[in-house]
Amino acid sequence: MKKRVMLTYGTFDMFHIGHLELLRRIKEMGDELIIGVSTDEFNQIKGKKTIIPYEQRAAIVEAIKYVDRVIPEERWEQKREDIKRYGVTHFVMGDDWSGKFDDLGDICEVVYLPRTKGISSTELKETLKSLSAINLNELNHAIEILKRIKDNLE
Ligand code: CTP
């Protein structure tokens, strides 16, 4: 039977269980898994701000046991070239991209998998932001108490 070569792209910032589940499910469907990790420059073009730099995001994805090869994603138009270069048989994305890459269906199979519910890099960043806000409130509260103590001493 023909080797099934799977390809997906993503930013994979603050690697989380939704990412892991996607990679696990894609590898289960095929023999080889190639991941295009978006570079910092490409994320800027996409208007996406990352916390973790490209080299670290790529190293983390490369260390996942389901992943056979990591390539940089630098441009929107590279998908067709990558599919031909690496002999990709299946192009797979999470269903937040449903229908967006159907045009690649002339050279390989295009599959959209359901996202894992309740987690995303954006939500993790929002949680970090609200935690910093809570810390700031606590800090301001402590400063107020110290001020009062100081005023009483004078
Ligand atoms: N993904 C998923 N389940 C999640 C989050 C992401 O299956 N809960 C998939 C996406 O559909 C995509 C891949 O993981 O195919 C990489 O997604 P990426 O955009 O890097 O992750 P998100 O957590 O969705 O990041 P953001 O919130 O910045 O969009």
Side-chain angles (χ1 to χ4, degrees):
M1 212 173 69
K2 195 180 170 205
K3 189 170 156 194
R4 292 160 74 98
V5 181
M6 323 301 282
L7 172 67
T8 193
Y9 295 90
T11 298
F12 302 100
D13 196 22
M14 307 178 77
F15 196 93
H16 57 68
I17 193 71
H19 295 146
L20 188 65
E21 273 300 291
L22 180 81
L23 303 188
R24 185 187 62 73
R25 285 178 293 156
I26 301 178
K27 185 58 183 275
E28 217 173 67
M29 295 163 53
D31 303 301
E32 192 185 328
L33 174 55
I34 304 170
I35 314 286
V37 175
S38 308
T39 61
D40 296 332
E41 294 75 17
F42 185 52
N43 276 320
Q44 263 186 353
I45 293 170
K46 287 196 284 185
K48 213 169 195 175
K49 228 175 135 27
T50 49
I51 291 188
I52 310 297
Y54 170 76
E55 284 71 24
Q56 294 179 24
R57 288 184 284 109
I60 291 166
V61 172
E62 197 155 29
I64 302 296
K65 66 177 177 182
Y66 312 120
V67 176
D68 297 292
R69 181 199 288 262
V70 167
I71 57 172
E73 184 192 29
E74 297 167 306
R75 305 169 279 122
W76 287 112
E77 318 79 50
Q78 79 185 68
K79 297 187 174 65
R80 199 164 273 276
E81 295 159 30
D82 289 341
I83 290 168
K84 289 180 183 159
R85 178 176 307 149
Y86 298 108
V88 170
T89 58
H90 293 71
F91 178 81
V92 189
M93 292 294 286
D95 62 5
D96 41 331
W97 292 97
S98 238
K100 296 265 165 48
F101 299 108
D102 289 355
D103 60 302
L104 297 171
D106 59 338
I107 49 171
C108 67
E109 258 191 63
V110 179
V111 183
Y112 304 100
L113 292 180
R115 282 171 68 94
T116 301
K117 294 200 176 27
I119 186 145
S120 74
S121 304
T122 306
E123 278 175 54
L124 289 176
K125 282 173 213 166
E126 289 303 318
T127 307
L128 275 183
K129 252 195 240 165
S130 54
L131 284 179
S132 330
I134 289 170
N135 285 343
L136 205 63
N137 279 344
E138 283 172 359
L139 201 63
N140 281 333
H141 186 60
I143 289 170
E144 276 308 310
I145 293 172
L146 286 173
K147 264 191 202 152
R148 263 181 251 149
I149 293 172
K150 182 174 169 272
D151 289 348
N152 281 339
L153 287 176
E154 284 171 357

